[in-house]
Amino acid sequence: MSLRLGDLAPNFKAVTTAGNIDFHEYLGNGWGILFSHPADYTPVCTTELGKTALLQEEFAKRNVKVLALSVDPLDKHNGWVNDINETQHVTVGFPIIADEDKSIANAYGMIHPNASETFTVRSLFVIGPDKKIKLTLTYPASTGRNFHEVLRVIDSLQLTANYSVATPADWKEGEDVIVVTSISTADAIQKFPKGVKEVKPYLRYTPQPNK
């Protein structure tokens, strides 16, 4: 069965470019991103890992650890990292998992047989401090992911985990948020001292509470 939001992220032990890890232990009390790549030495994957490396500080600010996965072996990963660093002008500082037996890919449903029986699709999982899955994204092998969108979603997930708010379409850090419908307007006014703007009884905005 495929993993769903709220499911416990399967734990695993893996060989990576940063040494052997236990996934849950590696994440500790922070957030995690696990994302798969169809194969090493492929052009789209090279740009994706390069973009992730450029954003390493942004992920670190949010207490997010990133792990990439490919079903190729470790020695191939190490050579590929050199190419990524050279062509994308970065230094890859996060682990790339060598999932040669595809055990992790299968546990996370990263192989979609109708797309490819051997390669992983571009799956991405955001995992919370409780080790539960907070977001899943699946792209075809031909389409690179938007990692600024991943950061935007993490900002929303971390905000909404701590406050009784939701984020509207295209929301970005610092913009107004929506008061959840489970809170009355009267209670919202008490809860959010920066103010509550009621557009409809079910649509109330308030400035981002942690700014």
Side-chain angles (χ1 to χ4, degrees):
M1 289 182 64
S2 60
L3 294 169
R4 298 177 179 179
L5 300 185
D7 286 352
L8 185 69
N11 194 25
F12 56 81
K13 290 180 171 61
V15 175
T16 83
T17 53
N20 295 345
I21 65 162
D22 175 289
F23 183 49
H24 285 187
E25 186 179 284
Y26 178 78
L27 293 183
N29 294 320
W31 292 69
I33 290 175
L34 175 66
F35 65 125
S36 60
H37 298 270
D40 292 2
Y41 296 106
T42 51
V44 178
C45 297
T46 299
T47 63
E48 286 190 325
L49 291 181
K51 178 60 70 174
T52 304
L54 282 173
L55 295 172
Q56 283 171 135
E57 288 186 10
E58 292 299 320
F59 287 114
K61 281 181 196 173
R62 294 161 172 82
N63 194 25
V64 177
K65 290 183 176 177
V66 178
L67 299 96
L69 176 146
S70 169
V71 297
D72 287 321
L74 187 62
D75 59 343
K76 200 170 178 183
H77 282 1
N78 287 326
W80 185 31
V81 166
N82 292 333
D83 276 11
I84 296 165
N85 291 343
E86 176 191 345
T87 63
Q88 306 302 302
H89 311 292
V90 297
T91 300
V92 173
F94 51 86
I96 304 176
I97 296 165
D99 187 27
E100 289 188 77
D101 64 0
K102 301 183 178 67
S103 60
I104 302 166
N106 285 322
Y108 278 81
M110 293 171 169
I111 295 174
H112 293 200
N114 289 333
S116 169
E117 293 186 359
T118 56
F119 295 122
T120 59
V121 292
R122 296 186 195 286
S123 298
L124 184 146
F125 298 86
V126 175
I127 296 151
D130 57 1
K131 306 301 182 291
K132 291 184 178 179
I133 294 170
K134 307 300 183 183
L135 173 83
T136 64
L137 289 171
T138 302
Y139 285 63
S142 57
T143 302
R145 288 163 282 209
N146 183 330
F147 287 88
H148 288 288
E149 167 64 5
V150 175
L151 284 171
R152 189 191 76 87
V153 173
I154 289 170
D155 286 339
S156 173
L157 288 169
Q158 293 184 341
L159 173 66
T160 58
N162 294 314
Y163 298 91
S164 302
V165 297
T167 55
D170 296 334
W171 174 85
K172 294 186 288 295
E173 179 79 8
E175 296 179 349
D176 287 356
V177 296
I178 292 171
V179 179
V180 296
T181 55
S182 60
I183 296 178
S184 69
T185 298
D187 287 343
I189 291 168
Q190 295 297 316
K191 191 175 183 69
F192 301 110
K194 294 179 182 179
V196 175
K197 177 185 176 183
E198 183 177 287
V199 179
K200 293 285 184 182
Y202 62 86
L203 181 59
R204 290 91 38 91
Y205 291 91
T206 187
Q208 185 174 330
N210 62 342
K211 284 295 182 182

